C-alpha cells in the first residue's frame, strides 16, 4: 500500500524538479558567465555597485508601497464582504478582473489616464483642468494596486470567515470598544490571512516590468525591468541571471519571514 502511494507523488516531484529546481539551477549557472560566455564572478561584483543597489532599494520601496496600499484597501473591503448578504457574488466580482490578461488591463489604463482619457475628462468637468497622470508614480502605484488587490482580499476574507464570531460578541459583552475588539481579537486572529496576502502581493511586485514600461514610462526602474533589459536588449544573460538570483533569494527570505509558524503546545 505504501509503495503504491509513493507512485502518486512521482508527478509532483517531477514537476518540482523540471519547473522549479531546473530553471533556478539554470539561472544560477548563467549568472557566472559574462556577455562573451567567459566564466567570471564579475556579475556579482557589479551587482553591489551603487547603480544596482539603488535599483534594489527602489524595487523594495515600490513593492512595499503597493503592498501597503493594497492592505489598507483590502482589509476593510474583506471585512465588509463578510457582512453582506451575497458575499460570494461580490467576492466573484472582485476576483473577476484578475482573469483578464495583464497586458489588456495595462493598455486599458493607457487610455483612461491618457491626455484625452476618462480621468482627464473628469478633471476638466470638475474645473481642475488636464493633468499629467500617465507616466507618473501615482499611475504606476494605482494600476499596480488595482491589479494585485484581489490577491490581498481573498486570503483576508477567508481568514475573517473562519473566525469564530462569538469571540467578538464576548469582547463587546465585556465592554471592549470596537477598536479594542479589532486590535485584540479580530486582527490577531486574521494575521495569517494578512501574511498570505502580503506574500501574494509583495513578491510579484518586486519583479514588475510590464507596468513600469507601459504605465510608468520607465520612470520607475525595478529589478524586473533590469532583468528584461539585460535578457531582451543588451543580451547580457549573465547579468540578468545574477539579478534574478538575488531576486529569488529575496523572495525566499520574504516567504520565510512571513510564513506561518506552528507553535508547540
Amino acid at each position: 500500500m505504501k509503495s503504491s502511494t509513493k507512485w502518486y507523488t512521482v508527478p509532483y516531484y517531477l514537476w518540482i524538479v523540471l519547473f522549479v529546481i531546473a530553471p533556478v539551477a539554470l539561472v544560477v549557472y548563467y549568472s557566472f558567465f559574462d556577455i562573451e560566455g567567459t566564466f567570471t564572478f564579475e556579475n556579482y561584483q557589479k551587482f553591489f555597485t551603487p547603480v544596482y543597489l539603488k535599483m534594489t532599494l527602489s524595487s523594495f520601496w515600490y513593492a512595499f508601497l503597493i503592498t501597503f496600499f493594497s492592505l489598507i484597501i483590502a482589509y476593510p473591503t474583506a471585512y465588509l464582504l463578510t457582512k453582506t448578504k451575497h458575499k460570494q457574488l461580490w467576492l466573484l466580482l472582485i476576483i473577476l478582473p484578475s482573469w483578464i490578461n495583464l497586458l489588456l488591463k495595462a493598455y486599458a489604463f493607457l487610455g483612461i489616464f491618457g491626455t484625452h482619457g476618462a480621468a482627464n475628462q473628469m478633471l476638466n468637468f470638475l474645473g481642475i483642468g488636464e493633468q499629467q497622470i500617465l507616466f507618473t508614480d501615482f499611475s504606476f502605484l494605482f494600476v499596480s494596486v488595482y491589479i494585485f488587490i484581489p490577491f490581498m482580499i481573498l486570503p483576508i476574507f477567508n481568514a475573517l470567515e473562519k473566525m469564530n464570531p462569538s469571540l467578538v460578541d464576548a469582547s463587546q459583552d465585556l465592554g471592549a470598544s470596537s477598536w479594542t475588539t479589532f486590535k485584540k481579537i479580530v486582527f490577531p486572529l486574521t494575521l495569517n490571512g494578512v501574511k498570505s496576502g502580503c506574500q501574494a502581493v509583495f513578491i510579484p511586485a518586486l519583479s514588475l516590468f510590464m507596468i513600469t514600461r507601459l504605465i510608468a514610462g520607465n520612470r520607475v526602474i525595478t529589478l524586473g525591468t533590469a532583468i528584461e533589459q539585460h535578457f531582451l536588449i543588451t543580451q547580457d544573460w549573465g547579468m540578468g541571471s545574477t539579478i534574478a538570483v538575488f531576486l529569488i533569494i529575496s523572495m525566499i527570505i520574504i516567504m520565510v519571514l512571513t510564513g506561518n509558524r506552528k507553535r508547540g503546545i
Side-chain angles (χ1 to χ4, degrees):
M1 184 67 179
K2 289 183 179 180
S3 60
S4 62
T5 305
K6 289 180 181 179
W7 281 105
Y8 290 114
T9 62
V10 170
Y12 168 77
Y13 288 115
L14 191 62
W15 176 275
I16 293 296
V17 170
L18 290 177
F19 298 105
V20 178
I21 297 176
V24 171
L26 196 60
V27 167
V28 174
Y29 171 78
Y30 275 115
S31 69
F32 290 104
F33 292 89
D34 60 18
I35 194 169
E36 296 176 354
T38 306
F39 183 86
T40 180
F41 290 99
E42 186 180 345
N43 293 327
Y44 286 90
Q45 294 174 352
K46 193 186 297 184
F47 183 84
F48 288 99
T49 57
V51 173
Y52 288 101
L53 290 178
K54 184 179 178 181
M55 195 182 301
T56 303
L57 290 175
S58 177
S59 297
F60 274 87
W61 173 244
Y62 281 109
F64 168 76
L65 289 177
I66 293 167
T67 306
F68 175 75
F69 288 121
S70 297
L71 178 60
I72 292 299
I73 298 170
Y75 202 104
T77 302
Y79 183 80
L80 290 174
L81 281 175
T82 61
K83 304 299 180 183
T84 56
K85 185 177 180 181
H86 304 288
K87 61 184 73 175
Q88 296 299 332
L89 175 61
W90 287 108
L91 187 64
L92 176 63
L93 293 176
I94 290 173
I95 296 174
L96 199 60
S98 65
W99 299 353
I100 301 173
N101 184 274
L102 178 60
L103 185 61
L104 292 177
K105 289 187 284 190
Y107 275 112
F109 275 104
L110 284 176
I112 293 171
F113 287 152
T115 305
H116 305 291
N120 268 315
Q121 289 180 6
M122 179 62 69
L123 292 177
N124 282 327
F125 177 77
L126 296 174
I128 298 174
E130 290 184 358
Q131 301 292 325
Q132 178 60 43
I133 304 174
L134 203 60
F135 309 137
T136 62
D137 287 358
F138 167 79
S139 62
F140 171 69
L141 290 173
F142 185 94
V143 175
S144 299
V145 170
Y146 166 79
I147 288 170
F148 287 122
I149 203 167
F151 305 104
M152 181 71 79
I153 291 176
L154 188 58
I156 296 175
F157 173 83
N158 290 334
L160 287 166
E161 280 286 274
K162 293 177 182 177
M163 187 180 64
N164 190 346
S166 62
L167 296 174
V168 177
D169 295 335
S171 175
Q172 293 173 347
D173 290 341
L174 292 171
S177 63
S178 299
W179 171 246
T180 302
T181 300
F182 172 77
K183 185 172 64 173
K184 299 291 186 180
I185 304 296
V186 178
F187 188 75
L189 291 176
T190 57
L191 190 57
N192 286 339
V194 172
K195 288 181 179 180
S196 298
C198 289
Q199 273 189 9
V201 174
F202 191 91
I203 291 176
L206 270 179
S207 55
L208 283 174
F209 68 91
M210 184 188 300
I211 299 175
T212 58
R213 180 180 291 277
L214 294 176
I215 304 298
N218 278 343
R219 287 187 70 257
V220 176
I221 304 298
T222 63
L223 293 176
T225 309
I227 292 172
E228 182 206 20
Q229 293 280 336
H230 283 301
F231 272 97
L232 300 182
I233 298 177
T234 66
Q235 297 293 308
D236 189 354
W237 288 22
M239 193 61 217
S241 298
T242 302
I243 300 171
V245 167
F246 282 98
L247 194 58
I248 292 169
I249 293 172
S250 301
M251 291 177 177
I252 293 172
I253 292 172
I254 293 164
M255 290 178 67
V256 171
L257 292 176
T258 58
N260 298 329
R261 297 177 177 85
K262 293 182 180 180
R263 296 179 180 177
I265 299 175

